[in-house]
Amino acid sequence: MMLLTCPHCGPRDVTEFTYGGDANARQPADGASLEEWNAYVFLRDNPRGPHDELWQHTAGCRRWIRVQRNTLTHAVLGSAPASGGRA
Amino acid sequence: MKYSIFSLARNALTYHENWTQAWRSPPPRREYDVVIIGGGGHGLAAAYYLARNHGITNVAVLEKGYLGGGNTGRNTTIVRSNYYLEPNAHFYEHSLKLWEGLSADLNYNVMFSQRGVLNLAHSYADLDTYSRRGNAMRLNGIDAELLLRDDVERMVPLLDCSPNARYPVMGGLLQRRGGTARHDAVAWGYARGADMRGVDLIQQCEVTGFTRNGSRIDEIHTTRGTIRAKKIGLAVAGHSGHVAAMAGFRLPIETHVLQALVSEPVKPVLDTVVTSGAVHFYVSQSDKGELVLGGDLDMYNSYGQRSNLPPVEHAVQSLIALFPCFSRLRMLRTWGGVMDMSMDGSPIIGKTPIDNLYVDCGWCYGGFKATPASGWCFAHTLATGEPHALNAAFTLDRYGLGRTIDEKGGGPYPWVH
């Protein structure tokens, strides 16, 4: 079973969390081009290795967190509050 | 060698010790007209149809492991064409028609069994949705039958159809022409057919990079040397994003792990494929007697081709809720495969930003049943440089243009499709 470390609650079972996807997708400014919106909404780096991602601790403190996790080994490399910059 | 009753009898006389190998293992040549990266069902089928339909035989298939060792050998072997949206309906129906003649075409028994695929309805809303989908299918010339609870109970007597069931059964949508096939045999049959027509199948050959020359790829770097190709086809299932990154572009895809498991083998008890969209679970019985079950994704990006407990628990809970009589079956084996989850749940077959590179990816949960049509359309696209009518809608640029093919209406969250 994979454990994610919630910065507020400590290490918890992954089933307590809901996945929120790539944490590095940044919404373009108003008036951005179609290509920029396409890239933001649809295109993903989808790395095989370290990946920054958002999770919500839905069955715990319900706060959003930012986790860096290796997508090949499932090793959790770090976590931080979602508002606090990089994991 | 053509397989037949005569070749069987002839080889029986020598105690089956003189069967020839089903395909060669040649060293890679320096240059090919077409190189297909990925020796799974789709890559092998594309190579087969390139040779069979288009007469292009100077072709290599590069496989980093062994043929059919990825998702082709890891899926739950279900074949169906019960889609609602037009591009999917026509594409998967073409696939099902190819399945119906596949063993004869390949001269290889893929053990295609049209035992029916039944989607259970657990509410009146489910029944409404299924009647709408069934009508759409019939308008597209695809067989569909709407069943009510009594019909389902007669057809699948072990299913808990009682009013007190955890998931009450209201009816279901049945596609009788759907069923299962032997997944390994599909890869082996296509491999043999492609090899017989001159295609080089190169195993233990991993692509490690590309040499770009403007908007073209000049060279493919592999663990078995550098290979040049006029055209390159990418059919690497869960690893599409990884290989696309080497070529220098991004895809509307996330890679997620999907698991399956089998029980110990028992005598024949379940003669159809039963699925439940509400519970998100599917089960069938293999020809060996094992119950084959599958359910949801793990719901987070993963390239880990292995099993993990929470989805196993979900699949087993679902099985026992629907079929209480299976509660004492022991589970024999669990595994995982990595899925190309596309942003609309539909595949991509077509051009990329690189002139001589074409992709066949984004198969989500549904790649196995698509194998024949995927190979057929990808071969056409590679041979002519233009899509076949059946994959014209499955373009890479459809996302930004607002032409997504979103069967579920889930939006750009690939893990919900």
Side-chain angles (χ1 to χ4, degrees):
Chain A
M1 186 82 78
M2 192 163 83
L3 289 180
L4 293 183
T5 302
C6 172
H8 311 290
C9 311
R12 297 296 183 94
D13 191 312
V14 67
T15 54
E16 290 188 13
F17 296 84
T18 304
Y19 188 57
D22 188 337
N24 291 329
R26 287 279 169 270
Q27 188 170 328
D30 287 351
S33 67
L34 187 63
E35 287 70 33
E36 288 172 272
W37 278 104
N38 179 40
Y40 164 65
V41 177
F42 296 113
L43 300 183
R44 294 290 178 267
D45 289 342
N46 192 22
R48 186 161 82 188
H51 184 227
D52 293 324
E53 48 202 32
L54 294 169
W55 290 80
Q56 189 189 10
H57 194 186
T58 34
C61 63
R62 298 199 56 77
R63 282 192 269 190
W64 282 93
I65 63 169
R66 193 182 163 99
V67 174
Q68 194 184 51
R69 193 178 57 90
N70 186 312
T71 58
L72 185 60
T73 64
H74 293 183
V76 177
L77 307 170
S79 66
S83 53
R86 290 193 164 269
Chain B
M1 187 207 316
K2 195 167 164 59
Y3 295 147
S4 68
I5 186 75
F6 304 108
S7 67
L8 184 65
R10 206 162 47 242
N11 281 280
L13 294 175
T14 53
Y15 300 96
H16 298 292
E17 286 174 0
N18 294 320
W19 286 101
T20 50
Q21 283 196 318
W23 54 81
R24 304 161 295 132
S25 289
R29 292 205 292 269
R30 307 294 302 161
E31 187 161 1
Y32 291 93
D33 288 341
V34 180
V35 165
I36 293 169
I37 303 170
H42 290 231
L44 293 165
Y48 173 76
Y49 291 118
L50 268 177
R52 177 186 177 278
N53 295 356
H54 304 280
I56 298 173
T57 57
N58 184 18
V59 175
V61 178
L62 310 183
E63 167 54 48
K64 74 171 176 179
Y66 59 93
L67 299 181
N71 293 340
T72 304
R74 293 165 192 262
N75 61 78
T76 50
T77 79
I78 298 166
V79 173
R80 59 187 172 84
S81 65
N82 53 359
Y83 281 80
Y84 175 71
L85 296 175
E86 291 240 346
N88 283 333
H90 297 306
F91 176 83
Y92 287 105
E93 178 59 11
H94 180 64
S95 205
L96 186 51
K97 285 177 177 156
L98 290 174
W99 277 109
E100 288 172 331
L102 193 59
S103 292
D105 185 37
L106 294 176
N107 178 232
Y108 201 94
N109 187 0
V110 298
M111 298 166 84
F112 182 47
S113 159
Q114 291 180 296
R115 59 186 65 184
V117 172
L118 174 64
N119 305 132
L120 295 176
H122 298 293
S123 65
Y124 292 115
D126 273 357
L127 266 185
D128 282 351
T129 313
Y130 282 143
S131 66
R132 184 163 174 252
R133 170 143 48 118
N135 282 330
M137 288 166 62
R138 292 171 77 136
L139 287 170
N140 279 323
I142 303 166
D143 72 304
E145 288 169 53
L146 193 67
L147 305 187
L148 296 179
R149 188 172 74 189
D150 290 351
D151 309 319
V152 173
E153 198 166 15
R154 263 196 303 279
M155 188 175 166
V156 192
L158 295 183
L159 187 67
D160 186 359
C161 293
S162 67
N164 297 327
R166 171 70 182 83
Y167 301 111
V169 173
M170 299 287 179
L173 184 66
L174 173 66
Q175 186 181 25
R176 287 193 194 274
R177 287 164 60 242
T180 59
R182 171 83 201 280
H183 50 5
D184 299 317
V186 176
W188 299 335
Y190 275 121
R192 176 171 166 270
D195 176 86
M196 275 165 46
R197 288 165 175 79
V199 173
D200 285 357
L201 307 178
I202 300 164
Q203 302 182 64
Q204 305 290 325
C205 179
E206 182 172 359
V207 171
T208 53
F210 300 102
T211 303
R212 280 274 294 267
N213 177 9
S215 61
R216 290 180 64 82
I217 287 176
D218 266 357
E219 292 175 332
I220 306 165
H221 304 290
T222 79
T223 50
R224 297 184 64 180
T226 298
I227 300 170
R228 300 177 69 88
K230 293 194 182 77
K231 287 178 182 171
I232 304 166
L234 191 61
V236 294
H239 298 277
S240 304
H242 182 70
V243 184
M246 287 187 214
F249 63 98
R250 300 202 295 168
L251 290 169
I253 280 177
E254 284 185 7
T255 297
H256 288 250
V257 61
L258 178 65
Q259 303 183 36
L261 57 157
V262 291
S263 73
E264 58 188 327
V266 289
K267 287 187 176 177
V269 287
L270 185 62
D271 63 358
T272 189
V273 180
V274 177
T275 83
S276 166
V279 184
H280 214 178
F281 170 76
Y282 36 93
V283 60
S284 63
Q285 189 173 23
S286 75
D287 292 339
K288 280 191 284 185
E290 305 152 324
L291 293 184
V292 184
L293 13 158
D296 250 329
L297 297 173
D298 280 25
M299 297 290 177
Y300 46 82
N301 286 41
S302 174
Y303 282 90
Q305 289 173 299
R306 57 187 177 270
S307 181
N308 197 357
L309 280 176
V312 169
E313 186 181 14
H314 169 81
V316 171
Q317 279 173 345
S318 309
L319 175 73
I320 295 169
L322 294 168
F323 294 91
C325 61
F326 291 148
S327 65
R328 279 189 267 174
L329 273 183
R330 282 165 295 192
M331 291 300 144
L332 203 62
R333 199 165 70 243
T334 73
W335 65 92
V338 293
M339 307 291 113
D340 260 10
M341 299 305 296
S342 70
M343 286 288 174
D344 58 357
S346 294
I348 300 160
I349 311 175
K351 299 177 184 182
T352 69
I354 294 168
D355 292 346
N356 61 337
L357 178 68
Y358 299 81
V359 286
D360 178 299
C361 64
W363 292 100
C364 301
Y365 292 69
F368 178 67
K369 63 178 173 288
T371 305
S374 165
W376 186 281
C377 293
F378 198 34
H380 180 99
T381 308
L382 283 164
T384 64
E386 292 300 324
H388 188 280
L390 288 168
N391 67 309
F394 298 139
T395 59
L396 178 57
D397 64 6
R398 70 176 183 266
Y399 296 89
L401 297 173
R403 290 202 288 262
T404 55
I405 306 164
D406 190 342
E407 193 83 21
K408 185 168 174 171
Y413 302 97
W415 60 91
V416 308
H417 287 290

